Amino acid sequence: MMDRKIISGFSKLDRKQKIQWLVDQYHLDQATIKFLDSFQLADEKTQEIIADLSENQLSNYHLPFTVAPNFLVDGKLKTFPLVTEESSVVAALAKAAGYWAQRGGFRTEIIGTKKKGQVHFLWKGDHEKLNKFFPEIKQNLLIESAPLTEKMTNRGGGISAVELKYLPEVLPNYYQLDVSFETCDAMGANFINSCLEQFGKTLKIWVVENDQFAEEEKELEIIMAILSNYVPESRVKVWVECPVTKLEADAEKSQLFASKFVQAVHISRNDVSRAVTHNKGIFNGIDALAIATGNDFRAIEAGGHAYAAKDGKYRGLSDAGITDGNFWFSLELPLAVGVVGGVTRLHPLAKLAMQILEQPSAKQLMTYLAISGLASNWAAVRALVTTGIQQGHMKMHLSNILNTLQVSDEQKQAVRLYFEGREVSFSEVQNFLNTHAG
């Protein structure tokens, strides 16, 4: 039997009432109230901004706001702001940045910036007839949506293409209006969705009111109108390259390392089990920068994973090779990001992150995100083919282990000193503390 009742109107309770309900329902200690309050900001105005970012806010969930310096991007040094709970990600990015800054840095190329959305609908008439009238329909769609697109058009963006697709293999009588957008420095989700919803209304009215359509042809059902987070035409490529002999101090070691690195990347492009973890390493870097700048890391990841499977097989997103004695390592992926509006302009730390990046355009931020992904991937693969991933990871994880064990500052210092040249594991740290208690 259920021991709890469904609650109605929970969102209408104030914050303190919501917390009290939680305490009562789950028999939490009353100290939970003070605990949740302790994470609230003293600045009421800023706290209100944070609280309004979500629904049913009880407190703030803190993650470290960090930076990784020394990213040489197209000849200019940048510092990347990052938000992640994994210290090894930040350490890896900083190390990769410093490494490649001494070997020419990161190069970038914007391949495109078009974003997509669809109006999905059902219509039982002859698709050739709809095709025949589509130029007229399209003109009407653009006229009716003009009030929505005016400001974006003035900034150099707007609707760049509208295509009618008949896709009976998906559903009987199924069609799409496939629409391309340029959204300038905005991510553009709200803009795109507003335009698409207007397209749906305009299309339905046009069909119903058109005298050249028979009565049975006037039944047009809009299923949904929504942007797509798959944006293969909004794509960026970033890469690093240098002579193989410059990879390590020793020429022979350089050649061996380059060969093993390329092999590891090749495996990720041909084995799905490795590809998933390989790409996770890429998104370690991308997500940390996306969160810091208030961008939608979930949409970025979804689009990236879809792109990894674009040829029917899920592959690693990065590539590597050796050409004429030069080692190269590259990443190409779709990205839809914004630097105006939304969380980017609301969250105080997101605004600071944009200042640290020197107020980049959306195109520049696309390249920084991809570079963060490539740098993270470089560090992970390098570790895998040399020392192994755990050595560096567990050293960075040592602080978490010590905090979990709740040891004194004196004990922390002793543990760090002892494990300076040793392999770290939870059990080994615990054994050391037990042996050297006091």
Side-chain angles (χ1 to χ4, degrees), residues 238-240 261 265 318-320 327-331 374 377-378:
V238 297
W239 70 95
V240 289
F261 192 100
V265 174
S318 60
D319 200 2
F327 169 85
W328 55 268
F329 182 44
S330 67
L331 173 64
L374 188 67
N377 194 210
W378 159 264

Side-chain angles (χ1 to χ4, degrees), residues 7-313:
I7 180 171
S8 299
F10 183 75
S11 63
K12 294 181 174 61
L13 301 177
D14 64 30
R15 176 177 162 272
K16 289 189 181 298
Q17 289 171 323
K18 289 187 182 92
I19 293 173
Q20 190 60 59
W21 176 87
L22 199 72
V23 168
D24 293 342
Q25 283 292 304
Y26 294 94
H27 311 294
L28 303 175
D29 195 300
Q30 285 295 320
T32 302
I33 299 170
K34 189 175 180 181
F35 174 73
L36 290 172
D37 285 344
S38 71
F39 291 98
Q40 294 283 100
L41 299 176
D43 184 330
E44 290 184 10
K45 187 176 179 181
T46 305
Q47 179 55 56
E48 189 175 338
I49 292 170
I50 301 297
D52 285 346
L53 292 175
S54 191
E55 180 83 354
N56 296 334
Q57 189 262 354
L58 303 182
S59 187
N60 301 329
Y61 191 103
H62 293 186
L63 289 172
F65 181 88
T66 67
V67 295
N70 299 324
F71 279 94
L72 185 62
V73 182
D74 294 328
K76 296 179 181 178
L77 274 174
K78 296 289 178 182
T79 296
F80 285 2
L82 306 162
V83 173
T84 177
E85 84 295 347
E86 194 170 345
S87 57
S88 59
V89 170
V90 180
L93 286 170
K95 193 170 182 178
Y99 179 94
W100 282 107
Q102 296 173 358
R103 292 165 176 81
F106 295 84
R107 315 276 182 85
T108 71
E109 179 190 355
I110 297 291
I111 298 170
T113 55
K114 284 183 184 177
K115 300 177 178 95
K116 283 274 191 177
Q118 289 87 27
V119 178
H120 306 261
F121 66 97
L122 299 176
W123 186 67
K124 293 181 181 179
D126 179 4
H127 72 275
E128 291 296 343
K129 188 172 184 179
L130 202 58
N131 275 329
K132 177 186 173 183
F133 283 105
F134 188 64
E136 186 180 337
I137 295 171
K138 178 180 173 181
Q139 185 179 15
N140 206 36
L141 293 172
L142 296 174
I143 290 170
E144 292 290 319
S145 64
L148 296 172
T149 62
E150 183 180 3
K151 288 183 180 179
M152 187 66 77
T153 302
N154 291 339
R155 294 201 296 269
I159 297 167
S160 57
V162 184
E163 184 183 353
L164 176 65
K165 292 183 176 181
Y166 176 48
L167 301 166
E169 66 274 17
V170 177
L171 283 172
N173 310 309
Y174 169 66
Y175 294 80
Q176 285 181 4
L177 289 179
D178 191 75
V179 190
S180 297
F181 297 85
E182 290 283 357
T183 60
C184 303
D185 279 336
M187 191 275 176
N190 290 330
F191 167 72
I192 292 171
N193 287 336
S194 294
C195 290
L196 293 171
E197 288 183 3
Q198 181 58 54
F199 272 24
K201 293 172 187 174
T202 301
L203 175 65
K204 190 164 187 174
I205 291 169
W206 190 92
V207 169
V208 169
E209 294 182 351
N210 194 293
D211 293 337
Q212 297 186 64
F213 281 16
E215 206 55 42
E216 61 271 15
E217 293 176 319
K218 294 187 177 185
E219 291 184 20
L220 187 145
E221 179 189 346
I222 303 295
I223 300 172
M224 56 186 166
I226 183 70
L227 67 79
S228 173
N229 289 128
Y230 185 48
V231 287
E233 293 182 273
S234 180
R235 210 161 73 249
V236 62
K237 180 180 179 180
V238 297
W239 70 95
V240 289
E241 60 181 327
C242 74
V244 169
T245 54
K246 299 291 185 183
L247 289 169
E248 301 284 353
D250 181 90
E252 191 174 329
K253 286 183 179 178
S254 291
Q255 190 64 51
L256 178 61
F257 165 71
S259 176
K260 289 182 72 175
F261 192 100
V262 171
Q263 286 174 347
V265 174
H266 178 78
I267 290 168
S268 79
R269 294 185 64 79
N270 291 277
D271 177 75
V272 66
S273 295
R274 174 62 199 139
V276 171
T277 311
H278 183 90
N279 289 342
K280 186 268 182 184
I282 291 171
F283 285 109
N284 276 343
I286 293 175
D287 288 355
L289 182 53
I291 295 169
T293 57
N295 273 275
D296 188 347
F297 70 95
R298 299 157 299 255
I300 290 170
E301 279 215 25
H305 289 303
Y307 191 72
K310 68 183 184 301
D311 58 1
K313 180 177 180 178

